[in-house]
Amino acid sequence: MTAHVIADDAEALAVAAALAEEFRAGAAERDAERRLPRAELDRLSASGLLAVTVPAEHGGADVSARTLAEIFRLLGSADGSLAQIPQSHFAYVNVIRRQGGEQQRKFFFGELLAGRRFGNAQSEAGTRHVQDIRTRLERRPDGSYLLTGVKHYCTGALFADWIPVLARAEDDELHVAYVPRDAPGVTVVDDWDGMGQRTTASGTVRLDAVPVPADRVLAHHLTFRGPQLHGAVAQLLHAAIDTGIARGALEEAAAFVRTKSRPWFESGFDTAAEDPLLIQRFGELALHVRTAEALLREAARTVDEARADLTDDSAAEASIAVAAAKVRAAEAAVEVASALFEVSGTRSALDSLNLHRHWRDARTHTLHDPTRWKIQHIGRYVLSGTRPPRHGLL
């Protein structure tokens, strides 16, 4: 595969905006038919967007967090499934940036610039909690590993060239093994049946004694020793997806009311768009979306500032700012996607229109991690200055 190499933030945003408009056109049909977006992902890879966080010294654009968040917001506004697929891709690019050796960075950044895609295999079902990882890396006498386990919710794995796998080694510490999608012993099962984000193919990955060279394994546990932005960046992208879904739902609701909704007979107006009660409701919904967008920009700015001067305090500020953005984005996505039917009227509930995909995507994606715990961390930070914990979900 060959891919365009994006030069800077401005080009990245222009490419993302153009692709979002292209992807928007078929989003409803892809969701309704559960037609997996292989062609769209190939377009995304070829565009160079998946390599925009490659450091400049390795030939990448090394875009800001604000630019990366805006890329995801644009894609989320067009297709809430498609935007979710590369989220883990960028999270595991960050692992290489932070923990990779020089040769590892050179190899994988070259792969990214060529358009290769990362999936993910991190979550497991039936364990005590989300961080109870039981997949194992067993070291062999020659220094390589055998990887064994079963992973669930593996968004992007079906479409990936490389699958980063979260596993524990003999020291019981967390590592990431970067495994080729077609490696012996790797089976990717398309068994995702979620009500929303239907075309993410977030199914199962089975790993049966998969051979992994030593130089394809990174010590992920070291990421969380000292100040870090791994969790903040990962959560920033989740917030951007939710914010995009909210904006997409609002715009589709407005278009529907302008062109298809009938006025309520008691309003006295000829069109639904003139109804003052609907105007009021749209104003309220627009405030939800604008608040989410503003907090997303503020969170991204805080991440960029922390990246420039990373300390315990700046990392904490970034995590708290992202947590605030994620809470509001989740609320906006669910509220606006639900209110779409309230403002649009009975006809909007027709299954053939598939307007409910916005709510299904929002409700499914916002279950990723509970906002109630983010509010707890924000409250502690305000009251006692307690810094948030260092993990990948904050």
Side-chain angles (χ1 to χ4, degrees):
M1 178 185 293
T2 58
H4 173 68
V5 178
I6 288 175
D8 54 29
D9 291 64
E11 185 183 6
L13 290 173
V15 170
L19 284 178
E21 286 309 303
E22 179 182 325
F23 297 157
R24 190 186 315 277
E29 290 76 13
R30 284 192 298 274
D31 176 90
E33 300 169 6
R34 198 177 179 269
R35 189 172 72 245
L36 300 181
R38 297 182 185 276
E40 289 76 15
L41 285 170
D42 286 344
R43 290 276 293 123
L44 195 62
S45 292
S47 75
L49 277 182
L50 297 183
V52 294
T53 59
V54 170
E57 61 267 29
H58 288 272
D62 201 9
V63 301
S64 66
R66 179 165 180 173
T67 293
L68 189 61
E70 180 63 5
I71 289 169
F72 273 80
R73 190 196 68 81
L74 288 166
L75 294 175
S77 72
D79 185 334
S81 282
L82 189 54
Q84 177 62 28
I85 293 171
Q87 190 273 338
S88 289
H89 169 96
F90 284 98
Y92 284 104
V93 173
N94 279 347
V95 174
I96 294 170
R97 287 186 63 142
R98 185 171 173 96
Q99 299 302 336
E102 182 56 34
Q103 289 306 310
Q104 290 170 320
R105 289 196 293 268
K106 181 178 180 180
F107 174 78
F108 279 115
F109 291 154
E111 289 285 280
L112 294 167
L113 289 169
R116 305 286 190 269
R117 294 193 289 264
F118 290 169
N120 95 82
Q122 52 188 16
S123 293
E124 300 179 12
T127 57
R128 291 183 302 117
H129 50 70
V130 71
Q131 293 199 333
D132 180 16
I133 302 298
R134 301 182 184 180
T135 297
R136 306 300 300 191
L137 276 166
E138 179 185 351
R139 189 182 290 273
R140 298 197 286 183
D142 64 359
S144 67
Y145 295 88
L146 288 178
L147 178 64
T148 301
V150 179
K151 298 288 189 174
H152 300 269
Y153 311 116
C154 300
T155 303
L158 189 68
F159 314 110
D161 299 290
W162 291 88
I163 303 176
V165 180
L166 201 58
R168 296 192 185 276
E170 66 273 8
D171 56 6
D172 213 37
E173 299 280 14
L174 283 177
H175 292 67
V176 177
Y178 289 76
V179 178
R181 162 71 176 80
D182 58 358
V186 174
T187 304
V188 181
V189 184
D190 179 20
D191 56 0
W192 171 242
D193 65 348
M195 68 173 180
Q197 296 195 308
R198 296 180 62 198
T199 61
T200 59
S202 301
T204 301
V205 171
R206 301 184 186 280
L207 306 147
D208 183 13
V210 179
V212 185
D215 62 356
R216 297 293 180 261
V217 176
L218 278 70
H220 189 36
H221 60 97
L222 297 178
T223 300
F224 305 103
R225 295 182 184 175
Q228 52 81 37
L229 296 172
H230 178 81
V233 172
Q235 289 295 302
L236 181 70
L237 302 187
H238 283 305
I241 294 167
D242 289 338
T243 303
I245 292 172
R247 172 59 69 178
L250 180 65
E251 291 180 351
E252 189 142 14
F256 193 93
V257 168
R258 285 194 301 266
T259 61
K260 296 182 176 65
S261 294
R262 295 184 297 178
W264 184 244
F265 71 95
E266 292 178 287
S267 73
F269 289 96
D270 293 330
T271 67
E274 296 174 283
D275 183 338
L277 298 181
L278 283 182
I279 291 170
Q280 175 74 18
R281 187 65 174 127
F282 268 99
E284 294 167 351
L285 297 175
L287 285 175
H288 285 304
V289 176
R290 284 175 174 265
T291 300
E293 290 172 342
L295 282 173
L296 182 69
R297 290 190 296 269
E298 171 67 10
R301 181 191 64 78
T302 308
V303 170
D304 282 327
E305 289 180 351
R307 181 179 172 188
D309 182 21
L310 188 59
T311 66
D312 285 332
D313 288 337
S314 66
E317 285 285 345
S319 286
I320 292 299
V322 171
K326 181 66 169 62
V327 170
R328 281 291 173 252
E331 291 173 347
V334 173
E335 169 72 10
V336 176
S338 176
L340 182 155
F341 304 99
E342 170 196 337
V343 296
S344 299
T346 305
R347 199 183 318 178
S348 65
L350 291 176
D351 196 55
S352 58
L353 296 176
N354 200 18
L355 293 176
H356 47 69
R357 74 184 185 281
H358 299 291
W359 184 87
R360 289 187 289 101
D361 285 346
R363 185 64 281 177
T364 300
H365 183 250
T366 54
L367 298 175
H368 185 274
D369 49 278
T371 57
R372 60 186 177 272
W373 275 99
K374 298 183 187 305
I375 295 171
Q376 283 282 310
H377 293 308
I378 294 169
R380 290 192 187 101
Y381 189 70
V382 171
L383 279 174
S384 62
T386 302
R387 296 189 187 111
R390 292 171 177 159
H391 57 62
L393 298 176
L394 194 66

